[in-house]
Amino acid sequence: MDRRDFLKQSVFASGMALVPSFLKGMEFLTPDQLSGYKNVIIIQLSGGNDGLNSIIPISNDIYHSLRPTISKKATQTLKITNDLAFNDNLRAIKDLYDQGEVSIINNVGYPNPNRSHFRSTDIWQTASDTNQYLSTGWVGRYLDASCQHPYQAIEVDNSLSLAMKGNQMNGIAVSDPNQLYRTTREPFFNKLVDNTHKDMLDEDNQGYLYKTMLETYSSASYIYETSKIYKTNTEYPQSPFAKNLKTIADFIVSGLKTRVFYSSLGGFDSHVNQVNSQDRLLGIYSEAVGALVKDLKKNNRFKDTLILTFSEFGRRVKQNGSRGTDHGAANNVLAISGSLKKAGVYNELPNLSNLDTNGDIKYSVDFRSIYATIIGDWLKVDDENILNRNFKKLTFI
Amino acid sequence: MSTSLSDKQIQHLYWRTGFGISSSELKSVRRLSKQQIVDRLFYESKLETPLALDFGSLLKNQKDLSREERKELRKLRNQKMLELNVLWIKQLTETKQVLREKMTLFFHDHFAVRLKTPRASLHLNNVIRKNALGNFGDMLMEVSKSPAMLLFLNNRQNRKNSPNENFAREVMELFTLGRDNGYTEKDIKEAARAFTGWNFNKSGSFVFRKNQHDYESKTVLGKSGNFTGEDVIKILLDQKQTARYITEKIYRYFVNEKINPKHIEELATTFYESNYSLETLMRRIFMSNWFYESQNVGIKIKSPIELIVGLSKPFQVVYKDPKVLLYLQRKLNQTLFLPPNVAGWPGGRSWIDNSTLMLRMKLASVTLNNGVIEWHNETDEEATMMMRQQFYKKMKSQIEKKVKATPNWERFLTSLEQRDKKELVNFIIQPKPSNGASTIIKKLDSSDTKNFIIELMSLPEYQLC
C-alpha cells in the first residue's frame, strides 16, 4: 500500500466521524507539499547549561585559571579551531558541525539579566524585557498571528510551556499521541463533543472552554491519525529525551502541518560537582539530536528543519567552592539545520577579561534577534508584530 | 430592592467568597436576608487561624553544620515546603473562616513570593491572613518588612552605595499603583534609596541597619524629603490610584474579569475614604445588587485551587498520599507558595490549555470515583458494554493505586436536601448549561445520584463559578 492510499484509509476508518463537521478539514501534507514546509524545533536545556564547558574557549588562560578543577583539558575536547573546542560528549554535534550544519552563536542574552531560573525562563519564553511580565509566549503569539490550528505548535511534553500560549490560541502539549487520543475518547467526552454546536462557542469563558475542548479533541485525532503515517525505523537512544525527539521526527515525516516543536531536557543546574552530571546530560542531548538529524536526512526533511538549542542562562565563569558553577548570564546558542546560510562560529567568542559586576559573560546578541530571524526569515511571518519590537535579524539562516 | 437572595445567588456568594456551599448550609442560610448572610460571612471570619509548622532542625544555624548536615537540611527544607502546602490546602478545605482564607489566597497571589524557605513563606502567609480583612496599608507595610519579601525582592541587598531597585519597582508596578500608572523610572530610583538599610535578623525580625541607609533627600512622586521606606509607602497610599488599582484587581478576582468603570470608581472612592479598610470594600461589593446580577454569575474560570478545594470539600476527600495534591497543583499550573514570579498567576483563561482542561474534566472522576465516568449508552452493543466494564475495572484499580483518594460519598448523599434532577443541576453547576450540555443532561439517568453528580462535574460548565 502506498502512502497516499494509507492516508485515505486511516483517516476514513478512524473515529473522525465524531468530530463535528465544521471542525473537519483534516489537513496533512501530501509528499509533494511536504518539501519546503519549514519547521523549527526549539530545545530548552533547563536549569542553566554551562556553555563554557560545552563549547570551550580552550586556549583562554582566564578560563583555566578561574576554573582550576572543572576546566576541560584539550584532550577531553573535540577541536573546532585553535581557540575553540566541543566538549567531547558532543560528538554527534561535532560531526554535524564538520558538515556545515551547525552555527554557534556566542554571547546571547538580554539587558539586565535575571538569574532566577523561573524568571529567566519566562523572559526567554515570552520574549519580554527583564522588567516586563507577559502572559503570552512568543510561539503562542506566532500562532495567534499566522496559524489556523493549535497543533501547528506542539510541545512534546505532558504540560504546555508559557512559550506556547497565545491570546487567541494555545499550542498543544502531547507526549504520547495514543494516550492523548485515548483520554479524549472517553465515551462521556465523545458524547459531549457530539453535542457541541457552533453557537455554543461564544466569546465568553464557557464558549472558550468548549472551544478548547473541541480543539483538543480534533487536534488529538489529527495528531494521532496523521502521525500513524510514518513510524521511523531509525534507531534512537533509550533516553526519554531521545524518545521525545523521535516523536517529533515521526510528526515531521508524517506530514503534520506543525511549524514549531518544543521540547526540553532538564537537570543542568550544576552548583555541585558539575563535570560528571553535565557531561552525562550533554551526551544524552548530543546522541538524541544526532539520531534525529539522521532520521530527518533519510527522509529528506533536514533541509526544511531548524533546531535551536538554548538555556535560560549561562553560568558564572569562576567556579564555586563545591566544584560547580552558579547562575550566570549570557550564553551560547546552537542553530542546527540543513539550510544554514552561515555555519560555523557565528560571532566573536566571549570576552572573559570583560565580565559584568557578577563575573558573568556580557551579552552582545539579544536572544530576541534570534527569534526575529526564525520568525521573519525562516517561517516568513512579520516578526515585529509578534515580538512587539523590531529586533535586528541575524544571518545564520 | 430585594433583600433576599435566590439559591443560585447564595451559591454565587459562597463560591466567590469561598469554595461553594454545602447542601445543609444552604438550607440554613436560605431563610436569612442578604444583609444577614453577608454579616454571617464576616462574623465567621472574625478570628484567624495562623498556619503552624514545627521546623525542628531547620532552626539551626547553617554555619555550624557539616556539609552532610547541610545537604540533609536542604532536603528537610523541601519536605517542609511540601508540608506547608498541604497544611494550607487542609485549612482551606476545612476552615470555617472561609472569607478570610479566600482573601488570604487573593493576597497570596497579589504579594506573590516564590521562595524555598518554609519559615519565611509561612510567616508571610500569616501576615497576610492577619490583615486579610483589616487595613490594606497595614498589610502592605508588614508584608514589605517581612523576611520573605526582603529576600525575594532583594531589599536586604539594597544599600546606600549600591542600591537595588527590585523592591522599589515592584511595590509601585505590582503592589500599589500598577504598571505605567503615574510613576517614572526616576521615582523608582529615588524610592529605592529610601528603602536602603531594610533587613531582618536571625530570628526573622525586621531590623533597620542605619549605616546602610541613605539619609540624603529624595524626591518621590513629586514630594521631597529625607524619606525612609515607611515614608515612601505612605506616599504610595496617599495616591488614590493605589485604591483604584487594588479595587480593580479585587473586582476582577471576586466579581468579573471585565470591569465596570462606574462600579470601580464608586468602590475605589469608598476604599480610599475608609483609609483602605478591606472589610468596608468587600462588604460594599457583597451588599451591592450588581454583584448578584446574572452577568456576574457562573462566568469565572475556577483557579486550580478553587477547583481542587471546591471538589474535595463537600466530600471531605482524604488524600492518603499528600504528593498527589502537589501533583495536581503542578499539573494544573498553580502550586501554592510557588507562584511563577512576582506578578503572580496570570489567571482567567490562561489556566486553560489542552492538557489542563482534560485533567480538569477528569478530576471529579479521578478523585471521587477512581477515574470512572460511567456512561450508559442505550445503543451500545452488549459486547462493547462488556469490554467497557472490563476496561473500567482495570482503570479503577490503577487509579485507586495511584491517587489514593477517599471521598465520603455517604455523608454527601445523605446531606442532600433532595435528588431531583433539575435541582441537582442547579446545585452543582453555577452557569446556565450550554445547549449541548442540556441535551446530554436530559439523557442522563439521575436515579443513580452518585454517577449523575460525577457526570455533572465532568462537564466544562463545572469549571466555572
Side-chain angles (χ1 to χ4, degrees):
Chain A
M1 176 165 46
D2 75 10
R3 187 170 180 276
R4 227 173 266 264
D5 285 340
F6 180 78
L7 293 181
K8 271 191 202 151
Q9 284 207 4
S10 62
V11 172
F12 294 111
S14 72
M16 276 305 291
L18 290 168
V19 178
S21 55
F22 62 90
L23 268 176
K24 279 185 190 164
M26 276 279 270
E27 296 162 274
F28 44 82
L29 297 157
T30 57
D32 35 307
Q33 290 172 315
L34 251 179
S35 178
Y37 196 84
K38 301 272 190 282
N39 56 63
V40 54
I41 303 171
I42 315 278
I43 297 174
Q44 179 173 359
L45 305 179
S46 300
N49 176 41
D50 181 16
L52 282 177
N53 267 21
S54 309
I55 295 164
I56 301 152
I58 197 71
S59 63
N60 192 312
D61 294 338
I62 302 174
Y63 166 74
H64 292 284
S65 67
L66 288 180
R67 298 185 161 199
T69 56
I70 66 162
S71 65
K72 291 279 183 180
K73 311 284 164 288
T75 50
Q76 300 165 306
T77 65
L78 306 167
K79 184 176 166 181
I80 300 174
T81 64
N82 285 336
D83 296 326
L84 206 61
F86 281 107
N87 179 307
D88 62 2
N89 292 281
L90 293 172
R91 178 161 296 281
I93 306 295
K94 163 78 160 76
D95 290 345
L96 296 173
Y97 183 92
D98 290 340
Q99 292 167 57
E101 292 161 346
V102 178
S103 186
I104 300 169
I105 309 168
N106 293 301
N107 313 317
V108 182
Y110 52 91
N112 307 311
N114 190 298
R115 290 168 179 80
S116 143
H117 295 292
F118 297 95
R119 184 64 198 131
S120 201
T121 295
D122 281 358
I123 290 168
W124 272 86
Q125 295 200 353
T126 60
S128 72
D129 291 334
T130 196
N131 58 6
Q132 183 187 19
Y133 298 92
L134 298 182
S135 55
T136 57
W138 71 282
V139 179
R141 295 197 299 274
Y142 162 74
L143 277 174
D144 280 346
S146 65
C147 295
Q148 292 78 47
H149 304 285
Y151 56 71
Q152 287 180 275
I154 292 181
E155 177 156 10
V156 182
D157 202 337
N158 285 316
S159 54
L160 199 69
S161 297
L162 182 53
M164 310 288 280
K165 296 184 180 178
N167 275 316
Q168 314 297 327
M169 215 190 285
N170 292 327
I172 292 281
V174 52
S175 65
D176 176 352
N178 296 334
Q179 198 199 349
L180 175 67
Y181 184 77
R182 270 203 313 275
T183 326
T184 57
R185 263 56 193 176
E186 278 250 1
F188 183 75
F189 297 146
N190 263 339
K191 205 71 200 164
L192 209 50
V193 168
D194 247 2
N195 281 286
T196 303
H197 308 290
K198 216 172 192 166
D199 59 8
M200 288 159 55
L201 311 180
D202 302 336
E203 286 305 304
D204 58 17
N205 281 340
Q206 190 161 313
Y208 180 76
L209 291 169
Y210 272 95
K211 190 165 153 270
T212 308
M213 182 183 77
L214 282 188
E215 282 173 356
T216 306
Y217 200 86
S218 65
S219 295
S221 320
Y222 175 79
I223 294 168
Y224 173 74
E225 297 298 343
T226 310
S227 66
K228 274 202 281 195
I229 294 169
Y230 174 81
K231 292 280 178 242
T232 182
N233 50 18
T234 303
E235 214 173 296
Y236 281 75
Q238 289 300 310
S239 66
F241 176 68
K243 187 175 160 276
N244 289 344
L245 296 195
K246 183 169 173 236
T247 304
I248 291 176
D250 283 346
F251 288 170
I252 291 177
V253 180
S254 291
L256 250 70
K257 293 185 86 174
T258 305
R259 289 288 194 184
V260 185
F261 296 96
Y262 212 92
S263 190
S264 63
L265 174 63
F268 285 90
D269 197 15
S270 50
H271 291 278
V272 184
N273 294 331
Q274 159 172 315
V275 174
N276 287 342
S277 64
Q278 195 205 10
D279 282 0
R280 190 178 57 82
L281 288 170
L282 291 179
I284 291 172
Y285 163 76
S286 166
E287 282 169 33
V289 170
L292 169 70
V293 171
K294 195 173 152 200
D295 200 358
L296 293 175
K297 278 182 176 167
K298 202 160 70 185
N299 290 285
N300 196 26
R301 300 291 290 122
F302 187 49
K303 63 177 172 43
D304 296 317
T305 303
L306 169 66
I307 305 167
L308 183 83
T309 306
F310 78 96
S311 199
E312 68 266 29
F313 44 65
R315 304 195 78 87
R316 188 129 319 145
V317 180
K318 188 177 180 343
Q319 73 177 72
N320 64 19
S322 40
R323 274 172 288 144
T325 48
D326 295 322
H327 300 183
N331 202 2
N332 42 39
V333 161
L334 291 183
I336 302 174
S337 172
S339 298
L340 289 178
K341 280 202 181 120
K342 189 174 172 191
V345 183
Y346 184 83
N347 56 344
E348 80 286 354
L349 301 186
N351 183 347
L352 302 189
S353 57
N354 179 22
L355 300 172
D356 70 11
T357 48
N358 280 287
D360 295 331
I361 295 167
K362 291 180 178 172
Y363 89 102
S364 63
V365 175
D366 193 306
F367 70 103
R368 291 164 294 187
S369 283
I370 298 179
Y371 292 171
T373 314
I374 295 173
I375 298 167
D377 292 348
W378 184 248
L379 299 174
K380 306 276 187 208
V381 177
D382 177 11
D383 50 280
E384 196 175 334
N385 173 28
I386 290 166
L387 298 174
N388 303 321
R389 207 186 307 163
N390 185 14
F391 290 96
K392 192 171 178 287
K393 291 197 189 62
L394 310 183
T395 54
F396 62 91
I397 195 97
Chain B
M1 189 177 121
S2 114
T3 52
S4 72
L5 299 173
S6 69
D7 279 9
K8 180 71 31 171
Q9 290 171 324
I10 296 172
Q11 287 170 208
H12 174 60
L13 178 65
Y14 274 74
W15 264 113
R16 298 302 176 85
T17 56
F19 304 94
I21 188 167
S22 69
S23 200
S24 49
E25 196 164 14
L26 180 59
K27 195 175 160 190
S28 67
V29 300
R30 191 182 282 135
R31 57 190 166 77
L32 304 178
S33 70
K34 176 160 93 180
Q35 178 76 54
Q36 285 170 320
I37 299 176
V38 171
D39 283 347
R40 187 182 146 119
L41 279 174
F42 281 90
Y43 179 77
E44 283 173 337
S45 281
K46 227 156 190 68
L47 299 178
E48 59 179 285
T49 311
L51 295 183
L53 204 58
D54 174 19
F55 288 110
S57 47
L58 270 187
L59 300 172
K60 279 186 195 160
N61 192 345
Q62 280 241 34
K63 284 181 187 125
D64 304 336
L65 301 176
S66 72
R67 205 173 151 151
E68 274 306 300
E69 284 174 317
R70 261 185 241 183
K71 206 172 153 191
E72 279 304 302
L73 207 62
R74 264 201 299 276
K75 240 195 241 158
L76 184 64
R77 203 177 286 144
N78 289 338
Q79 173 61 27
K80 290 293 168 189
M81 283 309 292
L82 172 90
E83 284 175 30
L84 182 56
N85 180 300
V86 175
L87 186 69
W88 194 16
I89 294 267
K90 193 167 147 61
Q91 175 139 320
L92 290 169
T93 316
E94 295 173 0
T95 185
K96 285 244 180 278
Q97 297 144 5
V98 180
L99 176 58
R100 182 176 293 277
E101 290 301 319
K102 194 68 175 267
M103 293 297 290
T104 308
L105 193 58
F106 170 80
F107 281 109
H108 181 68
D109 191 344
H110 183 70
F111 293 114
V113 162
R114 182 183 178 105
L115 288 174
K116 279 188 179 161
T117 44
R119 273 176 78 201
S121 302
L122 176 136
H123 171 262
L124 174 63
N125 195 256
N126 285 335
V127 164
I128 290 174
R129 180 171 292 103
K130 186 176 79 181
N131 293 291
L133 287 164
N135 183 284
F136 172 73
D138 293 348
M139 186 189 320
L140 174 65
M141 191 72 85
E142 214 175 322
V143 165
S144 304
K145 291 179 162 185
S146 71
M149 193 56 84
L150 292 167
L151 277 168
F152 187 56
L153 293 185
N154 312 102
N155 225 350
R156 56 187 321 223
Q157 283 102 359
N158 184 14
R159 294 179 190 141
K160 185 167 51 186
N161 293 320
S162 57
N164 184 310
E165 293 166 13
N166 205 0
F167 178 74
R169 179 183 302 280
E170 305 310 358
V171 73
M172 295 188 199
E173 179 178 327
L174 296 169
F175 302 159
T176 58
L177 300 171
R179 189 174 171 79
D180 300 331
N181 277 324
Y183 61 93
T184 62
E185 284 292 312
K186 184 93 201 317
D187 288 321
I188 292 170
K189 282 200 163 44
E190 297 279 299
R193 291 175 46 221
F195 287 112
T196 49
W198 279 28
N199 213 322
F200 61 91
N201 61 21
K202 263 185 214 148
S203 63
S205 306
F206 176 81
V207 285
F208 178 65
R209 300 217 192 278
K210 283 181 187 157
N211 49 5
Q212 289 170 0
H213 182 70
D214 180 341
Y215 283 94
E216 301 293 305
S217 171
K218 301 113 191 161
T219 303
V220 180
L221 300 178
K223 294 200 171 106
S224 301
N226 297 342
F227 296 140
T228 60
E230 287 89 341
D231 295 329
V232 170
I233 286 179
K234 275 179 209 133
I235 291 172
L236 291 173
L237 289 166
D238 281 344
Q239 310 288 316
K240 194 176 173 191
Q241 173 56 26
T242 295
R244 202 176 288 121
Y245 180 68
I246 300 299
T247 302
E248 256 187 48
K249 209 166 163 184
I250 282 184
Y251 189 92
R252 284 183 213 275
Y253 190 89
F254 287 90
V255 185
N256 197 325
E257 281 175 316
K258 291 197 191 84
I259 55 166
N260 178 324
K262 201 172 132 257
H263 298 163
I264 296 295
E265 209 41 52
E266 282 170 21
L267 292 171
T269 303
T270 305
F271 191 34
Y272 188 68
E273 284 171 359
S274 73
N275 187 29
Y276 292 96
S277 159
L278 287 163
E279 175 164 348
T280 306
L281 173 65
M282 300 316 287
R283 271 187 186 273
R284 182 85 189 247
I285 294 174
F286 303 140
M287 281 308 292
S288 75
N289 287 334
W290 45 255
F291 177 74
Y292 301 93
E293 282 169 5
S294 61
Q295 75 260 23
N296 294 325
V297 176
I299 45 110
K300 180 186 154 164
I301 296 177
K302 292 174 188 168
S303 70
I305 296 298
E306 285 171 323
L307 181 69
I308 294 169
V309 174
L311 219 148
S312 310
K313 191 174 169 163
F315 297 92
Q316 301 179 315
V317 179
V318 177
Y319 297 87
K320 209 170 156 199
D321 179 3
K323 286 206 172 108
V324 169
L325 274 172
L326 219 71
Y327 172 87
L328 290 175
Q329 292 173 62
R330 208 163 35 230
K331 286 290 165 193
L332 296 174
N333 293 335
Q334 188 184 28
T335 307
L336 291 177
F337 296 101
L338 290 177
N341 56 56
V342 62
W345 290 280
R349 289 187 183 186
S350 74
W351 294 126
I352 303 297
D353 61 51
N354 73 307
S355 69
T356 58
L357 182 61
M358 289 321 288
L359 178 55
R360 278 168 167 259
M361 286 169 54
K362 282 287 293 179
L363 192 63
S365 59
V366 165
T367 50
L368 306 176
N369 202 28
N370 292 318
V372 175
I373 314 171
E374 274 176 50
W375 168 257
H376 304 286
N377 198 332
E378 59 281 12
T379 60
D380 271 359
E381 301 278 328
E382 210 167 301
T384 55
M385 282 288 278
M386 287 271 289
M387 274 166 61
R388 193 158 288 159
Q389 295 288 328
Q390 280 178 351
F391 173 71
Y392 279 155
K393 215 171 152 192
K394 197 176 152 205
M395 181 158 79
K396 244 180 173 158
S397 71
Q398 277 176 355
I399 295 209
E400 214 164 3
K401 262 184 234 144
K402 267 193 209 158
V403 181
K404 293 182 198 151
T406 326
N408 191 339
W409 270 99
E410 206 185 297
R411 183 179 173 279
F412 177 84
L413 291 173
T414 44
S415 79
L416 285 177
E417 278 183 82
Q418 39 59 41
R419 300 185 182 194
D420 170 72
K421 194 174 198 173
K422 195 171 151 228
E423 299 291 324
L424 281 178
V425 173
N426 266 324
F427 180 58
I428 302 287
I429 303 283
Q430 268 306 89
K432 183 175 171 290
S434 64
N435 293 338
S438 300
T439 312
I440 290 186
I441 290 168
K442 246 181 239 148
K443 289 185 196 153
L444 293 175
D445 172 15
S446 65
S447 65
D448 185 341
T449 314
K450 181 176 163 182
N451 276 331
F452 182 59
I453 284 173
I454 297 278
E455 283 159 340
L456 291 179
M457 288 179 159
S458 306
L459 291 169
E461 278 80 351
Y462 185 70
Q463 302 304 321
L464 299 167
C465 73

